[in-house]
Amino acid sequence: MIKTVDLTKIFRTEEVETTALDKVNFEIKEGEFLSIMGPSGCGKSTLLNILGLLDNPSGGEYHFAGHEVSKYSERQRAMLRKENIGFVFQSFNLIDELTVFENVELPLLYLGTPANERKKRVHEALERMNIMHREKHFPQQLSGGQQQRVAVARAIIANPKLILADEPTGNLDSSHGNEVMKMLLDLNEAGTTIIMVTHSPTYADYGTRVMNLFDGQILTENYLEKFHV
């Protein structure tokens, strides 16, 4: 599904040049659950942004679903992104002025899905995340765990091939964090490819593989024998 070749990202100002990613090479097969770890500033979020087609690399190649996409325009990236990728963020990124239903519905509006189909799929996603009873509430009326469940529902609403999760448990207590990880694990077992950035070794072990980054390079990669349950 994903392959990078000497993937590089350099941020430049008038006085400073910072290498965030330094010739990163790896592959991800469809159905994997990759956990990415490393200290702050090591390039984790930069890598996730490039994999999520939110940014282009400075050099190297990025192959996604059989296409070399590193030089894609913003319009090309946006089209590929909305049809293939779901995002789950640490800060939830829900829109306060929209209800739970409307937040989850948003990706389907961008895809031009008919109203009846949108309603059916939103209700299915909310039921799956056990948050249907809050469909008319606004984000600020929900707990952190409930907001993240809504964010996961929004991420899966368009049936993406890939989910990118950036510290999805970072703002949650352990109970709600475990709940979110169980949801991600269920999605992975149903066939969705997941790439997650985390600082937690415990949550990293939910994956099928753990990659450690340091100074923009892959330090180690370990394949895991089993999931936590």
Side-chain angles (χ1 to χ4, degrees):
M1 173 180 268
I2 285 175
K3 178 182 179 181
T4 69
V5 181
D6 290 341
L7 198 68
T8 301
K9 183 65 178 181
I10 299 172
F11 294 102
R12 294 183 176 92
T13 66
E14 291 183 0
E15 300 177 354
V16 180
E17 181 176 290
T18 303
T19 301
L21 295 175
D22 187 8
K23 296 183 177 179
V24 171
N25 295 279
F26 69 97
E27 293 186 37
I28 301 172
K29 294 182 175 62
E30 196 166 332
E32 282 199 77
F33 187 154
L34 175 66
S35 301
I36 301 175
M37 298 190 70
S40 297
C42 73
K44 301 187 303 296
S45 291
T46 299
L47 178 58
L48 214 63
N49 284 339
I50 292 174
L51 297 179
L53 302 167
L54 297 172
D55 197 4
N56 276 338
S58 304
E61 299 176 5
Y62 173 29
H63 298 261
F64 181 85
H67 301 279
E68 210 290 293
V69 300
S70 63
K71 304 296 192 300
Y72 270 25
S73 67
E74 171 52 33
R75 183 175 180 178
Q76 289 173 307
R77 294 202 311 269
M79 182 64 67
L80 201 59
R81 192 168 57 233
K82 70 182 182 181
E83 292 178 350
N84 294 279
I85 303 173
F87 296 88
V88 181
F89 301 96
Q90 175 178 346
S91 55
F92 316 134
N93 282 18
L94 300 176
I95 299 173
D96 289 340
E97 294 76 21
L98 300 182
T99 64
V100 165
F101 182 98
E102 291 166 339
N103 267 281
V104 176
E105 179 187 36
L106 208 53
L108 298 182
L109 287 171
Y110 292 144
L111 289 170
T113 306
N116 287 344
E117 177 69 10
R118 290 201 308 271
K119 182 176 181 180
K120 175 176 175 288
R121 288 171 65 173
V122 170
H123 282 170
E124 286 174 352
L126 293 177
E127 290 282 6
R128 188 174 182 183
M129 295 298 115
N130 295 315
I131 197 71
M132 182 66 190
H133 60 294
R134 296 286 196 176
E135 69 166 325
K136 295 181 180 178
H137 288 70
F138 292 90
Q140 293 178 338
Q141 297 174 299
L142 308 178
S143 69
Q146 289 172 331
Q147 289 188 60
Q148 196 60 296
R149 272 190 268 166
V150 175
V152 173
R154 182 184 59 190
I156 67 171
I157 191 67
N159 297 317
K161 298 176 183 176
L162 172 67
I163 287 180
L164 299 177
D166 193 358
E167 294 283 356
T169 62
N171 285 332
L172 304 176
D173 58 33
S174 59
S175 175
H176 287 125
N178 292 337
E179 184 179 297
V180 168
M181 290 307 305
K182 181 62 167 59
M183 284 189 286
L184 292 177
L185 185 57
D186 288 344
L187 290 170
N188 178 244
E189 290 178 337
T192 306
T193 305
I194 295 176
I195 302 175
M196 176 182 70
V197 164
T198 182
H199 279 102
S200 166
T202 300
Y203 291 148
D205 283 352
Y206 277 77
T208 54
R209 177 164 45 135
V210 179
M211 176 192 296
N212 284 278
L213 290 183
F214 187 76
D215 284 350
Q217 296 180 319
I218 297 174
L219 198 62
T220 60
E221 280 190 86
N222 299 305
Y223 285 86
L224 304 173
E225 294 296 326
K226 60 182 180 180
F227 294 106
H228 282 248
V229 292

